[in-house]
Structure formats: structure tokens, C-alpha cells
Amino acid sequence: HPLMELAPRDVVAKAIHDQLISGSKVFVDVRHLSTGYFEQRFPNIHKVCMENAIDPRIMPIPVEPVEHYHMGGVMADSVGSTGIKGLFVTGETAGTGFHGANRLASNSLLECMALSERILRTLDAKAPQRGSRQKYSAVPLTNASVDGMSIKKSVLSEIFDSALPLVKRSEVLEEALKKIKKLFGELENAPLSDPEAFEVYNGLQVAKALILDALSIKRSIGSFVIE
């Protein structure tokens, strides 16, 4: 690509993926930067590198496509309105499609500035129509739990890593869906009692939704790659 590493993220992610499956490794090299620049500009990344015995001052940083190719958001229209009455979204929470196929999610800076103004105008126009605020309490839809079971967060990681990588394959997605259904069966009658139980159950719900969506897509679209 003429823009090399500054090409659209779907192009860069696929290029990295192709190198990794061929047996090569991919790195970000910041050794040419002035002393202290990287540490000051990206303190969190620098901290993680050092914690993993990677000193960016003298070593290239190994990379692989993990999160940015996997994008989405709550579906919203051009004024941030969603399918739920009274719920508006903006920034990276939103999925407006403004940025095309290689950025399926929205952009935090651009849309928080432009779309937020539209949301405020819409709400201001509807202000006289606002009714009284209703009380709402969240009630879990299941009594699922991981107490005393082998179902842990590591199971979620395994499902996401195997079934939902950059390049998705139908047969792997189908197998993961079967596994998720089996896990739901194990969780069905156990009491939900701790945060990890909620996270595992909710994570399975998200994985199921993503896999079903992936199975419905029959061709590569921007950063969503099917083989």
C-alpha cells in the first residue's frame, strides 16, 4: 500500500495477519525517537512493555491485530438516536457508519464534537414533551453462576481467540456456537452470586451475538474478513 503502515486499519491488520500466519513476526520500532519521547507520549504502553521485559528504547515492540479490527457500537442514526426510546449515543459507543467499512465503530473525537451537538439540539427540541422520570431496576434474566464450576474467564478468552480472530471461518464459528450453547446449559440452574459470574454469563451472550452475526456475513467487508 502506498501509505504503508498509515494505510486504513483493515489493510494494515490484514497485512500483519498474513505475516504472522506465514511464520514471521511484526514489530513497531520506536528506537529512532528522541530519549524520553515514547515514555512521555505513551506512558501506559511503555509501562506494559517494561513489565514484559521489552525496553522500547533498545528493542522493537512485537505487535499483532487484536482489538481495532473488531469494532462496532450501538446502532445510531445521524442525530445519535437509537432503537431504544430516549437513548442517544455518541463517540466510540456509537455505530453510525459515518467512517466507512474500515472503521465500523465511530470516532471518539470527531463524533463527540459533531454528533453531540446534534443530540443536544434534538433533546432541546423535545424538552417540552418530556414526561416524569420512571424508576428502573436491573434484574438478571438468569440465575447463572460459575461458583464451583470449571467455567471461568479463560473459557471466554479461548472462544474469542479461536472463533473471532481477524480472519473468521464458518466451521470454527459453528463449533464455537455449539460450545457456547453447552456452557449455557451448565449455567442454567446455578445461582448468580459474584461479579465474575455476571461477567462470564454476559461474555457468553456477547460471544453468541458476535458469532451469529459473523455467520450471517458471507463476504469480507472492510475490516471484517471472511475466508
Side-chain angles (χ1 to χ4, degrees):
H1 195 282
L3 294 177
M4 299 177 67
E5 71 269 23
L6 296 179
R9 64 184 59 201
D10 58 313
V11 176
V12 175
K14 185 63 166 59
I16 294 173
H17 173 268
D18 291 345
Q19 290 295 321
L20 294 176
I21 63 172
S22 71
S24 299
K25 293 184 178 180
V26 181
F27 301 88
V28 167
D29 193 346
V30 299
R31 290 175 293 180
H32 62 289
L33 298 177
S34 58
T35 303
Y37 177 82
F38 184 78
E39 182 178 359
Q40 294 173 9
R41 181 67 178 81
F42 302 102
N44 291 331
I45 298 176
H46 182 270
K47 179 174 179 290
V48 171
C49 287
M50 297 300 287
E51 289 173 349
N52 288 275
I54 300 169
D55 188 342
R57 296 171 299 180
I58 58 175
M59 303 165 64
I61 306 168
V63 295
E64 62 181 61
V66 178
E67 292 192 14
H68 270 138
Y69 69 81
H70 185 67
M71 299 167 292
V74 180
M75 295 299 293
D77 61 18
S78 60
V79 294
S81 179
T82 70
I84 299 176
K85 185 178 180 180
L87 178 64
F88 292 78
V89 293
T90 185
E92 293 195 353
T93 303
T96 59
F98 288 163
H99 301 279
N102 63 34
R103 188 169 184 113
L104 305 182
S106 296
N107 181 284
S108 58
L109 296 178
L110 291 174
E111 290 195 23
C112 278
M113 294 180 67
L115 195 58
S116 295
E117 183 181 9
R118 291 188 175 190
I119 292 174
L120 287 172
R121 288 179 179 177
T122 303
L123 291 174
D124 188 54
K126 294 182 177 182
Q129 305 170 21
R130 292 177 190 166
S132 59
R133 182 178 299 175
Q134 296 180 346
K135 291 184 178 180
Y136 175 80
S137 59
V139 180
L141 299 178
T142 178
N143 288 323
S145 176
V146 292
D147 290 347
M149 298 184 182
S150 61
I151 304 173
K152 300 293 183 183
K153 288 183 182 178
S154 58
V155 176
L156 287 177
S157 297
E158 181 184 335
I159 291 172
F160 277 94
D161 289 344
S162 62
L164 295 163
L166 174 63
V167 178
K168 301 167 182 65
R169 294 177 173 83
S170 296
E171 62 273 15
V172 180
L173 292 167
E174 294 281 5
E175 285 301 315
L177 194 58
K178 292 178 183 177
K179 185 172 185 178
I180 289 172
K181 290 179 178 178
K182 183 176 181 293
L183 292 172
F184 275 133
E186 293 182 33
L187 291 171
E188 186 175 6
N189 297 313
L192 193 153
S193 59
D194 59 73
E196 185 172 349
F198 274 106
E199 290 177 15
V200 170
Y201 182 77
N202 290 338
L204 288 172
Q205 292 279 24
V206 171
K208 179 182 176 182
L210 291 172
I211 289 171
L212 288 173
D213 186 58
L215 286 169
S216 72
I217 300 173
K218 304 303 180 184
R219 63 188 179 88
S220 297
I221 307 172
S223 58
F224 197 95
V225 184
I226 294 287
E227 283 190 357

